[in-house]
Amino acid sequence: MSDIAERSLHTRIGRSVEAIRRSFVDNLFYVTVRTFENATALDHYTALAYTIRDRLLARLIATDEQYKRLDVKTVAYMSAEFLLGPHLGNNLLNLGLWDNVNQAMQELGLSLETILEAEEEPGLGNGGLGRLAACYMDSLATMEIPAIGYGIRYEYGIFKQSIKDGWQVEVADAWLRNGNPWELPTQLRYPVKFGGSIEHFNDEDSCQRCRWLPDSIIQGLAYDTPILGYGVLNVSVLRLWKSEARESFDLQAFNTGDYYGAVDKMIVAQNISKVLYPNDEPEAGKVLRLRQQYFFVSCSLQDMIQTTLKTKGSLEHFPERFVVQLNDTHPAIAIAEFMRLLIDEHQIAWTRAWELTQKSFAYTNHTLLPEALETWPLELFQRMLPRHIDIIYQINSRFLDDVRIRFIGDTDRLRRMSLIDDGSADGVRRVRMANLACVGSKSINGVAVMHSELLKQTVLKDFFDMWPEKFQNKTNGVTPRRFIALANPPQTALFDEVIGGDWLRNLEKLCQLEQYAEDKNFLSRWSGVKFTAKKRLSNELHQSYGITINPESLFDVQVKRIHEYKRQHLNVLHIIHLYNQLKQQPSIDMIPRTFIFGGKAAPGYYLAKLIIKLINSVADVINRDPQVNKILKVVFVPNFSVKTGQLIYPSADLSEQISTAGKEASGTGNMKFTMNGALTIGTLDGANLEIREAVGADNFFLFGKTVEQVNDIWKAGYQPRTIYEQNENLREVINLINSGHFSHGEGSLFRPLMDNLLNSDPFLVCADFQSYIDCQVQVAEVYKDQEKWSRMSLLNVARCGQFSSDRAIREYNADIWRVAPLSVEISKS
Ligand code: NBG
């Protein structure tokens, strides 16, 4: 090999500091077209991203080649959301290149930290559901389970939140504006049809067939993002679809001279993958959302079918080649689309097609809130997907025959289980996506023990009666690579030192930390780790927003989507209660606390936005008041995201998990906090239950009504106003808000929220108020004893191993997917 060739090879893949440095400088010039002197932080980021991308390609290719050669069964994780967070740091970690890159940047006089900061994060999800999908992709690769993620390449992700005058303001998230080094464009394209009509006909063998005559056809183009495993060579692919007009778009329009008509159609096609919908809002007429769902599902299934035909020769073997996990009902239309593809396009008979479907799909439910269960107006569905509604009717008719046989004479059950809501409530007939998912799947799971139990007792009870064997629990997990190693380097270094190397892949090994629970020396190092994280956040907040907080104070943190059921307003009521105490008794012995909030409200969710305004208004008054602001501080960190999460989780002393019992399916933030040594104040809801069991009741601050008590309260006829009248603390807090104290005298501003609490209080804020503030008193008591707090914190971490997404993925694989792991190898030659 010539010198030059050897060097170029080296700069592409070499792992040495020198190779990385050279490669970076090359990329800075040849990719971003900047001289070293003129380059910005973004240019540095881009150059480094390409440098790192080059170094992962060999693994990607090797994985692809080995999976293909051995024709392995593959998990297809279908999700409308993947909330990935920044890639660069994660890829450095997983490639084991962190130290060398850090040094290479230092030698160039650059800071790796500043470069990492410059990455735009792909916000292709709303919250926990999308982040879970990202954690699962990470664990699938790390566990060496062949997998592909399928989703949508939204041009605009979840909106960016800024705060103006205390209110949330939404700004479009043009995350692709500066390009995206991590995605590899492919040539994979599939057509997707919409609208029109269907036609039944007999084929040459006199078989009844159906033909779909769509009125438009668009095209999906695949972009692949490599997802690296940690400590292994396996790389999974996240395949996201972008919608396009077909190249030959609407020739007819051209021929008749309607150029602008054709252009309009092209724009309609491109719009499908344009923007992620924020959730937590009423469905009302989101035609585009149904289009998005069908679009990505259709592309993904066509892709899997093509692969199966290529490798197995026949779709009879589809269930041996793929198992499709439906992440909530957003991709549930896949059941009908798979049937259509098998029957209409691959001439498989109905009965066989249905068997193949039921063997291939599995469904995860993520919510108990009835209003969040997806349904689509039948009329809309029919107009957009005429063939699918026909198939759904047929599935339904056969299914209801089975129900009739099982439950003779139970007509109400038939009505409840039907895939079609007959519109008896509001006159609008609807397609029930959860029912479709249940009927077409071999397994149905909830995301925490309690959630899975409640599913069986409530929203999916009828399906449980019918098929108890389909129901499972798979408690959520989160990846410790991102949420410990990347988020909290000092903690990682300490664990490396005392447990040794591979705890990040075997999180249960954290149990070895228990032996230090009585070791004062260690406990003080442990508090030191926490203090470092608190200082880091304090500095960051100071730099970015000019806010000063005291790292010695208790960091009391609630970061998650803003929603009434998550009860950020309960937290605020407690803050005002402390404020009242301080105002009334300035010399009271109160531990200093910094309350940190973060989270986005759905743009159309008025009360959630009013909660944000309330937090900021209370912050404004408290933070300015010299009588209290040495003790209390309130901060709303704008634009909560994966990136800000990585900064905030490690800094928390106290994790607020205070949803009304029975409302939070699992929660995953709760796990991220626990892994970083925060103690939880929480209700018996979602995975809090399992966290409390794991870490020990003594190391968890429990409060609030249980699910049973919540049900009893509603049965007995809940009267929040009576609680208000009887509870002086609550009355003082609510009266102060209503007096306009936090709104420049404008007492009406928070009325809608306060009236809601007093008149209906759908999430039992009043009922849990006293229990919550009592529990907060205990928190403060324990915090006074720093050593005790530190011990409890250490025990939380030592016992949180089961909340790694690796454990979750292992369980999914053992009980649902049954895919054989395969270690990818790269020959040294
Ligand atoms: C959310 C739940 C959370 C859960 C995540 C991931 C939806 C529909 N559901 O409790 O609210 O942790 O899913 O399972 O976003």
Side-chain angles (χ1 to χ4, degrees):
M1 199 186 282
S2 77
D3 256 351
I4 294 174
E6 193 171 74
R7 208 178 74 192
S8 90
L9 195 67
H10 202 210
T11 54
R12 285 286 187 210
I13 60 171
R15 295 171 59 94
S16 68
V17 174
E18 195 201 334
I20 290 167
R21 199 186 57 221
R22 270 210 314 244
S23 170
F24 172 84
V25 173
D26 268 8
N27 281 332
L28 195 61
F29 187 75
Y30 291 107
V31 178
T32 70
V33 198
R34 290 297 179 118
T35 59
F36 198 82
E37 292 69 36
N38 291 333
T40 63
L42 179 65
D43 298 323
H44 293 148
Y45 160 73
T46 305
L48 185 56
Y50 278 98
T51 304
I52 298 311
R53 186 178 107 170
D54 287 345
R55 284 157 177 78
L56 62 79
L57 292 177
R59 295 184 182 198
L60 178 70
I61 306 289
T63 306
D64 184 56
E65 188 274 318
Q66 282 163 55
Y67 286 0
K68 258 194 201 132
R69 182 154 44 80
L70 295 166
D71 193 17
V72 292
K73 184 174 174 185
T74 300
V75 175
Y77 199 85
M78 266 202 193
S79 178
E81 302 187 9
F82 287 91
L83 189 47
L84 298 164
H87 290 284
L88 178 56
N90 201 241
N91 288 340
L92 286 179
L93 175 75
N94 289 9
L95 286 167
L97 284 177
W98 194 285
D99 292 341
N100 284 4
V101 167
N102 196 19
Q103 198 186 324
M105 294 304 107
Q106 264 176 26
E107 288 177 12
L108 291 167
L110 300 172
S111 136
L112 178 55
E113 216 167 291
T114 313
I115 296 177
L116 290 168
E117 259 309 298
E119 180 168 358
E120 282 273 356
E121 89 170 64
L124 310 186
N126 275 281
L129 175 142
R131 184 53 233 177
L132 186 79
C135 284
Y136 283 1
M137 288 306 294
D138 175 287
S139 284
L140 279 161
T142 301
M143 312 291 290
E144 306 185 306
I145 297 172
I148 180 164
Y150 282 115
I152 301 173
R153 182 181 176 274
Y154 300 106
E155 196 178 322
Y156 292 86
I158 189 68
F159 64 86
K160 289 200 168 150
Q161 177 197 58
S162 67
I163 301 294
K164 294 243 158 65
D165 191 25
W167 294 96
Q168 165 175 297
V169 176
E170 299 94 21
V171 184
D173 167 48
W175 72 289
L176 288 168
R177 189 176 38 180
N178 301 312
N180 173 10
W182 306 107
E183 63 181 11
L184 310 167
T186 70
Q187 318 245 311
L188 281 173
R189 288 187 164 84
Y190 296 99
V192 181
K193 306 177 207 171
F194 288 100
S197 56
I198 57 174
E199 188 177 87
H200 291 278
F201 67 100
N202 285 333
D203 67 10
E204 51 272 28
D205 303 324
S206 310
C207 284
Q208 271 235 326
R209 309 224 74 97
C210 185
R211 190 180 292 130
W212 180 5
L213 308 164
D215 60 17
S216 68
I217 305 182
I218 62 150
Q219 184 163 263
L221 168 63
Y223 285 77
D224 285 357
T225 303
I227 307 288
L228 273 67
Y230 174 81
V232 295
L233 297 176
N234 298 49
V235 179
S236 298
V237 164
L238 174 59
R239 184 158 288 167
L240 301 178
W241 302 100
K242 175 187 186 212
S243 63
E244 295 182 331
R246 294 201 299 171
E247 258 159 62
S248 56
F249 78 94
D250 224 357
L251 273 182
Q252 211 187 342
F254 270 123
N255 292 341
T256 55
D258 183 12
Y259 181 74
Y260 291 105
V263 170
D264 284 347
K265 282 203 168 161
M266 187 169 85
I267 290 168
V268 168
Q270 287 169 349
N271 279 348
I272 291 180
S273 59
K274 189 66 84 182
V275 56
L276 167 74
Y277 276 101
N279 57 9
D280 305 327
E281 278 186 48
E283 286 297 329
K286 291 178 186 159
V287 184
L288 189 56
R289 176 144 168 120
L290 180 57
R291 273 180 190 272
Q292 288 184 332
Q293 296 183 350
Y294 176 62
F295 161 72
F296 98 88
V297 156
S298 179
C299 291
S300 310
L301 287 173
Q302 292 183 65
D303 194 42
M304 286 181 250
I305 284 176
Q306 193 189 63
T307 306
T308 309
L309 287 176
K310 227 190 268 166
T311 59
K312 302 253 182 231
S314 150
L315 294 180
E316 284 295 318
H317 299 291
F318 188 91
E320 292 131 58
R321 188 63 182 73
F322 286 104
V323 51
V324 184
Q325 190 69 38
L326 303 174
N327 196 27
D328 219 85
T329 54
H330 315 143
I333 183 66
I335 306 283
E337 171 68 354
F338 191 60
M339 286 294 284
R340 184 191 72 82
L341 289 165
L342 294 188
I343 295 168
D344 294 357
E345 303 205 351
H346 297 275
Q347 288 76 43
I348 294 177
W350 179 282
T351 318
R352 182 62 189 145
W354 186 240
E355 276 171 14
L356 292 171
T357 303
Q358 285 188 311
K359 277 189 186 166
S360 305
F361 288 86
Y363 160 53
T364 306
N365 171 290
H366 293 267
T367 186
L368 288 159
L369 303 184
E371 70 270 22
L373 288 180
E374 268 190 313
T375 60
W376 291 107
L378 195 88
E379 193 266 333
L380 161 71
F381 205 101
Q382 178 135 36
R383 226 179 328 120
M384 191 183 301
L385 302 169
R387 176 57 175 142
H388 297 78
I389 200 71
D390 190 54
I391 288 173
I392 288 174
Y393 282 148
Q394 281 199 52
I395 296 174
N396 200 31
S397 131
R398 288 161 198 246
F399 163 61
L400 292 180
D401 283 345
D402 290 348
V403 180
R404 254 181 230 108
I405 295 169
R406 272 293 299 280
F407 304 94
I408 298 165
D410 192 345
T411 47
D412 196 57
R413 185 181 293 266
L414 287 173
R415 187 188 57 74
R416 295 194 307 263
M417 295 184 82
S418 172
L419 304 188
I420 310 294
D421 175 340
D422 60 11
S424 49
D426 60 355
V428 183
R429 297 177 75 207
R430 294 170 162 274
V431 184
R432 294 166 161 158
M433 301 312 278
N435 296 27
L436 178 61
C438 286
V439 173
S441 297
K442 62 175 172 178
S443 123
I444 301 166
N445 75 281
V447 290
V449 170
M450 178 175 163
H451 170 233
S452 297
E453 283 310 307
L454 290 174
L455 277 181
K456 295 193 276 187
Q457 293 164 24
T458 62
V459 284
L460 299 181
K461 174 171 190 314
D462 291 326
F463 292 92
F464 178 65
D465 292 344
M466 180 105 180
W467 300 301
E469 70 285 354
K470 279 196 191 185
F471 281 73
Q472 313 204 11
N473 173 57
K474 293 286 164 282
T475 298
N476 285 167
V478 302
T479 171
R481 270 75 66 183
R482 186 173 289 275
F483 292 105
I484 302 180
L486 288 179
N488 201 340
Q491 179 171 321
T492 305
L494 181 64
F495 292 178
D496 282 345
E497 179 193 321
V498 300
I499 312 175
D502 62 344
W503 57 272
L504 265 177
R505 272 165 54 78
N506 298 285
L507 206 66
E508 309 274 354
K509 287 202 171 168
L510 292 184
C511 70
Q512 292 173 26
L513 293 167
E514 289 226 15
Q515 61 185 295
Y516 300 102
E518 302 303 327
D519 178 339
K520 287 192 185 197
N521 222 339
F522 190 85
L523 289 179
S524 99
R525 286 185 75 187
W526 181 237
S527 332
V529 166
K530 180 59 72 184
F531 191 66
T532 307
K534 290 166 79 172
K535 272 202 308 214
R536 181 165 67 123
L537 179 66
S538 308
N539 293 340
E540 191 63 39
L541 291 180
H542 189 74
Q543 265 172 25
S544 303
Y545 307 106
I547 304 167
T548 308
I549 59 176
N550 170 13
E552 309 268 359
S553 63
L554 187 162
F555 280 18
D556 182 335
V557 186
Q558 188 170 21
V559 287
K560 49 180 77 240
R561 285 175 300 137
I562 310 291
H563 199 292
E564 286 164 276
Y565 87 77
K566 296 179 185 279
R567 300 199 296 191
Q568 282 90 356
H569 44 343
L570 176 59
N571 188 340
V572 177
L573 297 187
H574 171 242
I575 299 173
I576 299 176
H577 168 68
L578 294 181
Y579 169 78
N580 282 342
Q581 284 187 319
L582 265 179
K583 286 304 237 186
Q584 285 156 16
Q585 280 177 270
S587 62
I588 195 174
D589 177 27
M590 189 182 284
I591 56 152
R593 285 203 204 211
T594 302
F595 294 91
I596 296 164
F597 291 87
K600 295 175 185 176
Y605 186 173
Y606 176 65
L607 281 183
K609 293 177 110 169
L610 193 57
I611 290 175
I612 294 181
K613 173 66 177 167
L614 176 64
I615 296 168
N616 285 308
S617 303
V618 170
D620 208 39
V621 169
I622 290 184
N623 298 353
R624 282 167 198 268
D625 183 342
Q627 227 187 347
V628 298
N629 69 12
K630 301 279 172 304
I631 306 289
L632 302 178
K633 267 278 159 71
V634 183
V635 181
F636 188 95
V637 181
N639 200 41
F640 183 63
S641 57
V642 177
K643 214 184 205 176
T644 49
Q646 287 176 211
L647 184 69
I648 293 173
Y649 294 120
S651 77
D653 294 303
L654 188 65
S655 152
E656 297 272 353
Q657 306 301 333
I658 60 178
S659 52
T660 319
K663 297 295 179 190
E664 189 69 271
S666 164
T668 42
N670 45 9
M671 302 170 184
K672 296 165 197 166
F673 279 111
T674 303
M675 280 181 190
N676 283 280
L679 302 186
T680 304
I681 181 164
T683 47
L684 279 183
D685 198 19
N688 292 355
L689 217 92
E690 288 154 84
I691 292 178
R692 178 166 175 267
E693 205 159 282
V695 304
D698 292 346
N699 301 307
F700 187 104
F701 297 103
L702 180 69
F703 78 97
K705 306 285 184 221
T706 62
V707 174
E708 292 73 30
Q709 290 167 333
V710 167
N711 291 336
D712 292 346
I713 289 177
W714 288 117
K715 266 191 230 132
Y718 178 46
Q719 298 285 347
R721 198 173 285 274
T722 314
I723 303 179
Y724 163 83
E725 277 154 9
Q726 292 170 358
N727 186 317
E728 195 186 336
N729 292 326
L730 180 62
R731 211 167 49 242
E732 280 181 1
V733 170
I734 291 184
N735 288 352
L736 192 65
I737 295 173
N738 279 340
S739 75
H741 187 77
F742 300 105
S743 40
H744 306 286
E746 202 191 313
S748 58
L749 181 59
F750 299 114
R751 272 287 166 161
L753 196 55
M754 295 302 111
D755 287 352
N756 177 280
L757 292 188
L758 294 181
N759 297 331
S760 55
D761 192 13
F763 298 100
L764 299 187
V765 171
C766 295
D768 275 344
F769 174 78
Q770 191 59 45
S771 164
Y772 180 56
I773 61 173
D774 290 345
C775 192
Q776 287 283 20
V777 172
Q778 288 175 39
V779 169
E781 268 317 300
V782 177
Y783 196 74
K784 283 182 189 158
D785 183 345
Q786 278 292 300
E787 192 181 298
K788 179 167 181 196
W789 185 279
S790 186
R791 179 175 307 115
M792 286 167 72
S793 157
L794 184 69
L795 289 176
N796 264 261
V797 177
R799 298 170 181 174
C800 78
Q802 71 192 79
F803 301 106
S804 163
S805 43
D806 297 346
R807 184 271 314 149
I809 287 302
R810 204 178 302 119
E811 289 179 4
Y812 273 96
N813 198 36
D815 303 336
I816 303 173
W817 304 330
R818 297 169 188 266
V819 165
L822 178 76
S823 293
V824 168
E825 285 163 14
I826 295 183
S827 63
K828 292 263 161 21
S829 65

